[in-house]
Amino acid sequence: MDVLGIESSCDDTACAVVGAGGVSADVVHSQAVHEAFGGVVPELASRAHAENLVPVVRAALARAGLRRPDAVAATAGPGLLPAVLVGFSFGKALAAGWGLPFVAVNHLEGHLLAPLLEDPAPEMPYLGLLVSGGHTALYRVDRVGSYQLLGSTVDDAVGEAFDKVARMLGLPYPGGPHVDRLAAAGRAEIPFPRPKVGRFDVSLSGLKTAVRLYVERHPDSPAEVVAASFQAAVCDLLVDRVRNAVEETGIRRVAIGGGAAANAGIRAAIAAGPWASFLPPRHRCTDNAAMIASCARLRLLAGHPPSPWEATARARWAVGDP
Ligand code: KG4
Ligand code: ZN
């Protein structure tokens, strides 16, 4: 079964085809229009999706050598609603026109199951650490469609914190990859706080404020040292939460996903833990459509029904909720 997936929840217009043999096409068009604004402008993102979708979908079909898939999937949320709606409506229209089943995919579920595209894939149950621009959460993945939220951030998401720290350091948007690069060149010598809440939650707003105050008080402090110290604090915090979850559940398989899972420090920290780690390649951590097509395919194969034609996009949608 070949599933065509569409992703447009933020500033990437993406289309991929996933079948029995794996990913046969994976096309991502990243929008550059937002850089000048220091963040994603929803209306510009939606318009760029409208411009890019036809070429991106055509390119994916051509690359997969396919005239028409067996099912169509599209991200239905959570995300920037105006952006989600463009790809979602386009995908639904394609399915309706072709007379194919349509699957409305939860973007976070896509990230959470993305490690299953790799070889080796984690066996279930596994722990999934999701660190993206809008979400930070730790889940127990029991089977397709069955997830338990163990912990999350009580304020900022990891990617968001990276972007804010990047801004403090005068780096362009999106800042995560820039902080990552800078951190590699510096020593983590500033003892930033590691704000934990309970056994599984994190608070990144306190850490972010500590970085801001430090930068204000030490304007001459090298940016790479600030970046490395901030990144080290995030890594310690995440590893500590994962360690508690491994202890609590007895599950010793840990997978990561979401844009910030592309971070070299986070990858190294998770890989060094006393568990089996599953780190998808960077382009499958950041937003992509292969994870959306794959999630839909796994759901259909597991017996979940396609989505009704009335299905619509949603800005908020907890993983595992119908
Ligand atoms: O999953 P994603 O592509 O989009 C969302 O669903 O949010 O994540 C985007 C986030 C941004 O905040 C970006 O700065 C961050 O992921 N990010 C990184 C890295 N690459 C992307 N953060 C830290 N290090 C990176 N290498
Ligand atoms: Zn994402």
Side-chain angles (χ1 to χ4, degrees), residues 7 9 107-108 111 132-133 258-259 285-288 291:
E7 155 64 34
S9 66
H107 180 87
L108 302 177
H111 276 306
S132 71
C285 291
T286 51
D287 285 349
N288 65 89
M291 70 181 192

Side-chain angles (χ1 to χ4, degrees), residues 9-10 12 107 111 131-134 159-160 162-163 174-177 180 258-260 262-264 285-287:
S9 66
C10 194
D12 294 309
H107 180 87
H111 276 306
V131 279
S132 71
E160 184 184 0
F162 267 92
D163 293 338
D180 192 352
N263 182 269
C285 291
T286 51
D287 285 349

Side-chain angles (χ1 to χ4, degrees), residues 123-126 139-148 251:
E123 242 174 69
M124 292 191 201
Y126 64 85
Y139 295 90
R140 178 190 161 118
V141 177
D142 282 297
R143 54 180 193 282
V144 175
S146 174
Y147 316 101
Q148 191 191 339
I251 299 170

Side-chain angles (χ1 to χ4, degrees), residues 20-310:
V23 182
S24 53
D26 189 4
V27 180
V28 182
H29 179 281
S30 297
Q31 304 175 2
V33 284
H34 310 288
E35 246 168 66
F37 299 92
V40 177
V41 184
E43 195 187 317
L44 291 182
S46 334
R47 283 201 246 164
H49 288 312
E51 281 168 20
N52 298 328
L53 267 164
V54 168
V56 164
V57 170
R58 282 206 169 133
L61 283 169
R63 211 159 290 175
L66 210 64
R67 284 200 47 217
R68 184 216 256 232
D70 303 302
V72 178
T75 298
L80 291 175
L81 208 54
V84 173
L85 271 166
V86 180
F88 181 79
S89 306
F90 189 92
K92 203 205 272 192
L94 272 181
W98 273 329
L100 297 174
F102 174 72
V103 183
V105 173
N106 181 309
H107 180 87
L108 302 177
E109 186 178 10
H111 276 306
L112 207 50
L113 300 184
L116 298 174
L117 278 166
E118 306 306 320
D119 186 18
E123 242 174 69
M124 292 191 201
Y126 64 85
L127 300 178
L129 175 65
L130 188 77
V131 279
S132 71
H135 297 85
T136 291
L138 183 56
Y139 295 90
R140 178 190 161 118
V141 177
D142 282 297
R143 54 180 193 282
V144 175
S146 174
Y147 316 101
Q148 191 191 339
L149 178 67
L150 299 173
S152 64
T153 177
V154 298
D155 38 55
D156 292 359
V158 169
E160 184 184 0
F162 267 92
D163 293 338
K164 286 179 177 165
V165 166
R167 210 175 180 152
M168 295 170 203
L169 298 175
L171 300 166
Y173 180 87
H178 296 281
V179 173
D180 192 352
R181 229 166 288 136
L182 257 189
R187 278 181 34 177
E189 48 198 36
I190 309 163
F192 287 131
R194 278 105 164 112
K196 300 164 190 167
V197 180
R199 284 194 73 203
F200 305 115
D201 293 343
V202 299
S203 159
L204 289 166
S205 150
L207 170 58
K208 173 193 70 187
T209 304
V211 175
R212 186 168 51 75
L213 292 176
Y214 186 90
V215 171
E216 280 169 15
R217 284 177 196 151
H218 306 83
D220 297 328
S221 176
E224 61 270 22
V225 172
V226 175
S229 306
F230 160 72
Q231 189 169 294
V234 172
C235 292
D236 279 356
L237 200 50
L238 293 177
V239 165
D240 178 82
R241 310 288 81 181
V242 168
R243 193 181 298 118
N244 285 351
V246 167
E247 254 171 39
E248 174 84 13
T249 61
I251 299 170
R252 310 192 76 80
R253 287 174 292 278
V254 178
I256 60 175
N263 182 269
I266 294 178
R267 298 175 76 84
I270 295 296
W275 45 70
S277 49
F278 298 85
L279 318 173
R282 288 181 168 77
H283 68 282
R284 293 274 157 72
C285 291
T286 51
D287 285 349
N288 65 89
M291 70 181 192
I292 301 303
S294 170
C295 178
R297 188 171 180 278
L298 291 169
R299 288 190 69 90
L300 291 171
L301 291 175
H304 294 274
S307 302
W309 291 117
E310 311 84 78

